[in-house]
Amino acid sequence: SVDNLRLATHSQNQCNAFKPKNNTSGVKGVSKAGNKWKAEIMIDKKSLYLGTFNYIEEAAAALTEVRKKYHGEFANHG
């Protein structure tokens, strides 16, 4: 049944995607950069670099804040 589906653009559906299977950090949008953690996110088909962080938790927190702002109800932090 389609009663429980919400209208969404392709871009909004992509925001709601899960982390790729080849993700090695365990956190969507976080990758290793030397001995630090790099956070990146896609906004309107453009990569937005959020910076490098000493701890994976800091990179994940930065991504969570940006997802809330730009992806709204379609944000998927997993």
Side-chain angles (χ1 to χ4, degrees):
S1 170
V2 295
D3 296 337
N4 65 339
L5 298 178
R6 61 183 170 185
L7 292 176
T9 65
H10 178 72
S11 179
Q12 289 169 324
N13 270 332
Q14 291 303 106
C15 295
N16 200 30
F18 290 99
K19 72 178 183 280
K21 290 182 181 182
N22 64 349
N23 178 299
T24 57
S25 72
V27 180
K28 183 179 170 186
V30 175
S31 60
K32 195 75 169 152
N35 61 349
K36 297 190 180 237
W37 297 96
K38 177 176 72 169
E40 277 185 294
I41 188 170
M42 293 294 286
I43 306 290
D44 296 326
K45 298 181 184 177
K46 295 178 185 157
S47 181
L48 177 61
Y49 173 74
L50 302 180
T52 55
F53 301 86
N54 290 321
Y55 301 100
I56 193 169
E57 296 84 3
E58 294 172 327
L63 281 163
T64 297
E65 289 305 310
V66 172
R67 279 192 195 105
K68 286 179 187 175
K69 179 178 178 181
Y70 288 100
H71 296 172
E73 68 175 298
F74 295 95
N76 179 356
H77 308 293

